[in-house]
Amino acid sequence: MSLFPKFVNWVKSLFGQGPRTREVTRLSSSAGAPLDASGRVADIVTEEVVTKGPLKEKHRRLVKRDPRLLPKVSHALAWGKRKKVMSAGEAKRLFSGTLRTRNRNQRDLLPDEAQLARYGLPLWRKEEDVASALGLTVGQLQHYSIHRERDRVSHYITFALPKRSGGQRLIQAPKSRLKAVQRKLLSLLVEKLPVSPHAHGFVKGRSVRTGAEGHVGKAVVLRLDLKDFFPTVSYARVRGLLIALGYGYPVAATLAVLMTESERQPVELDGKVYFVPVGPRVCVQGAPTSPALCNAIVLKMDRRLAGLARKHGFTYSRYADDLSFSGPGEEAAEKLRGLAARIIQEEGFQVNAAKTRLQRRGGRQTVTGVTVNQVLGLSRKERRKLRAMIHQEGTRPASAETSARIDGKLAYLSMLNPKQAEALRARRKVPPR
């Protein structure tokens, strides 16, 4: 576009004659179009949005244009006080860190009620619906679901736990009230999100046993680990998932804030302590919703990795951030490792190279701590330790804590391999507590 047409458009805009927005089709009230608060036909139009966001190609959604947010006509000769278009409370919420966005294609989306029904997800059209479902007032919901650049109250307790491999793992556990809200959200929504059949962690009816039994008796077992699994799932990814599943932008953004948090640093200013974010909002270790939510986020990655494994004659399973492949030979496993790492990177995650393992048949093969060389169960070394504990319990007085530990180990082994557990129980002279 040359400079002269741009200059002409600029001059026209000074007198309110310039282009304001793209043209859209209005639905008539006879067609069943909903009305707004003033009784006028709501500006609703069916159109295809850009596919750079969370929506799939050719996925069509209804959008509602809020006339208050359309570009305003600026008059160079206009005087006087401007007309108020919304209340201070509405503006504060709409332009808060939670709902503020420049992407109109997402902001104006209405819920896809048919798709939500297909997935069996609750129909929440607005924040009031979410608050009602969670047993909260709108004010209480917004207290937990607004991202603030400085907050007088921290909703999480942060502490560190040592890792077996060294270093520390940061845990952010929600306080009791927020935890109760997240647990309710877990049962109402998160547990109903679509999950891959290859995911065995934090899924009802699945366990380390179901994840390991498909790898028994294979020539090689390749194990990969995802680096910073929970922190990689950001607020934007959670919001995008909920939008793609059918929720409108305000509801998706509110739910995403409820289930994510930033690492925060206490800062004192003018005698007051503020909690300031020092990183992006992510799924945190400690929130009840994080494990199941991350399972839903990696659904596409699971499908791609399962297809890759099947193409090379391998079996694939995932338990949280622990990925396992088993198949016929080392050469294919090495090729699979590179291709899997590429898929993982394309899906926004990273392989922890320090924890990559290729286990051969001649050595010990484990999947999520379960031995899979010939049969499921504990390794010979672990069973010997347990047998020694049982022997010591029968020859000398044992504490209640020791006996309880033996009971737990036998129950775990019984889940994996009842035959191995019964053989050890037969050696026990002290009845279980």
Side-chain angles (χ1 to χ4, degrees):
M1 188 176 185
S2 62
L3 294 178
F4 181 73
K6 288 184 178 180
F7 175 75
V8 171
N9 287 337
W10 176 75
V11 173
K12 287 182 178 180
S13 67
L14 294 178
F15 298 94
Q17 299 179 6
R20 293 181 59 192
T21 182
R22 60 181 174 181
E23 193 175 324
V24 296
T25 304
R26 291 179 65 88
L27 301 178
S28 64
S29 58
S30 60
L35 303 179
D36 59 19
S38 62
R40 296 174 297 179
V41 179
D43 193 8
I44 299 179
V45 43
T46 303
E47 65 177 1
E48 186 175 350
V49 301
V50 296
T51 57
K52 292 181 180 179
L55 300 185
K56 295 181 180 179
E57 187 178 359
K58 298 182 180 179
H59 185 179
R60 300 177 71 86
R61 290 272 291 271
L62 289 174
V63 300
K64 181 177 181 180
R65 301 300 186 204
D66 188 339
R68 299 174 302 177
L69 301 178
L70 291 175
K72 304 299 184 294
V73 178
S74 59
H75 296 277
L77 304 179
W79 287 280
K81 189 176 181 180
R82 292 186 178 183
K83 184 179 178 182
K84 189 175 183 180
V85 297
M86 66 178 65
S87 67
E90 287 180 298
K92 184 178 179 181
R93 179 59 174 161
L94 186 61
F95 298 106
S96 66
T98 303
L99 298 183
R100 184 172 61 246
T101 179
R102 289 180 290 183
N103 189 338
R104 284 186 53 189
N105 288 307
Q106 291 188 29
R107 185 190 64 198
D108 297 336
L109 286 176
L110 290 175
D112 189 336
E113 299 185 13
Q115 179 164 278
L116 291 172
R118 285 196 300 272
Y119 283 116
L121 301 177
L123 176 58
W124 294 330
R125 297 183 179 89
K126 48 189 178 179
E127 288 180 284
E128 288 80 357
D129 298 335
V130 179
S132 177
L134 297 176
L136 303 172
T137 65
V138 175
Q140 289 172 332
L141 176 65
Q142 293 182 356
H143 174 65
Y144 294 118
S145 63
I146 291 182
H147 176 75
R148 301 174 178 87
E149 293 303 326
R150 60 175 190 174
D151 205 335
R152 290 297 309 279
V153 179
S154 176
H155 298 301
Y156 288 77
I157 298 174
T158 304
F159 56 94
L161 293 177
K163 294 182 180 180
R164 289 188 300 176
S165 58
Q168 292 184 326
R169 187 187 308 277
L170 188 66
I171 304 296
Q172 291 177 269
K175 293 181 179 178
S176 57
R177 291 184 180 179
L178 179 57
K179 182 178 288 187
V181 172
Q182 290 180 341
R183 283 176 173 166
K184 199 162 189 178
L185 191 59
L186 176 66
S187 62
L188 291 176
L189 171 68
V190 181
E191 289 181 340
K192 298 177 181 178
L193 297 177
V195 178
S196 164
H198 306 283
H200 295 269
F202 316 106
V203 181
K204 288 184 177 179
R206 305 180 199 173
S207 63
V208 292
R209 184 184 191 282
T210 60
E213 59 188 1
H215 302 284
V216 175
K218 300 297 180 65
V220 293
V221 174
L222 173 64
R223 290 174 48 195
L224 303 178
D225 184 85
L226 299 181
K227 187 176 182 180
D228 298 328
F229 180 49
F230 284 0
T232 304
V233 180
S234 64
Y235 157 78
R237 296 183 74 167
V238 176
R239 184 187 64 190
L241 170 69
L242 296 173
I243 290 174
L245 290 174
Y247 286 105
Y249 182 85
V251 169
T254 297
L255 294 173
V257 173
L258 273 177
M259 297 184 287
T260 59
E261 175 60 324
S262 304
E263 184 180 349
R264 292 181 180 266
Q265 179 73 35
V267 176
E268 186 174 351
L269 180 64
D270 296 332
K272 297 179 181 179
V273 176
Y274 297 93
F275 295 91
V276 180
V278 292
R281 292 192 76 96
V282 297
C283 285
V284 296
Q285 298 191 55
T289 52
S290 291
L293 188 58
C294 290
N295 275 340
I297 289 287
V298 299
L299 172 62
K300 181 182 175 183
M301 185 187 76
D302 281 340
R303 288 174 172 171
R304 293 183 66 186
L305 292 176
L308 176 68
R310 187 166 53 250
K311 180 179 179 181
H312 291 83
F314 276 67
T315 300
Y316 167 73
S317 69
R318 180 182 59 81
Y319 193 97
D321 57 354
D322 193 350
L323 283 57
S324 301
F325 301 84
S326 61
E330 292 185 36
E331 185 176 347
E334 289 294 345
K335 183 178 180 181
L336 185 69
R337 172 162 44 185
L339 295 174
R342 183 188 305 172
I343 290 176
I344 291 168
Q345 186 174 12
E346 290 173 354
E347 294 298 326
F349 293 90
Q350 186 178 354
V351 174
N352 188 347
K355 293 186 177 181
T356 300
R357 299 286 185 273
L358 182 61
Q359 302 170 334
R360 299 162 182 82
R361 181 174 290 167
R364 181 186 174 191
Q365 295 175 323
T366 61
V367 173
T368 58
V370 181
T371 301
V372 294
N373 287 71
Q374 296 178 344
V375 295
L376 284 179
L378 295 177
S379 66
R380 187 176 302 172
K381 181 179 180 180
E382 291 295 324
R383 295 201 307 274
R384 284 175 178 170
K385 287 182 179 179
L386 182 54
R387 186 164 62 241
M389 291 175 65
I390 292 174
H391 175 74
Q392 291 176 0
E393 182 191 37
T395 57
R396 68 186 69 171
S399 65
E401 182 181 354
T402 300
S403 295
R405 188 181 296 114
I406 294 174
D407 291 341
K409 287 181 175 292
L410 285 173
Y412 176 68
L413 180 58
S414 182
M415 177 194 68
L416 300 176
N417 191 319
K419 194 173 181 180
Q420 291 180 354
E422 283 302 318
L424 290 174
R425 279 200 182 100
R427 291 174 169 268
R428 198 175 187 189
K429 299 177 181 179
V430 178
R433 294 176 182 268

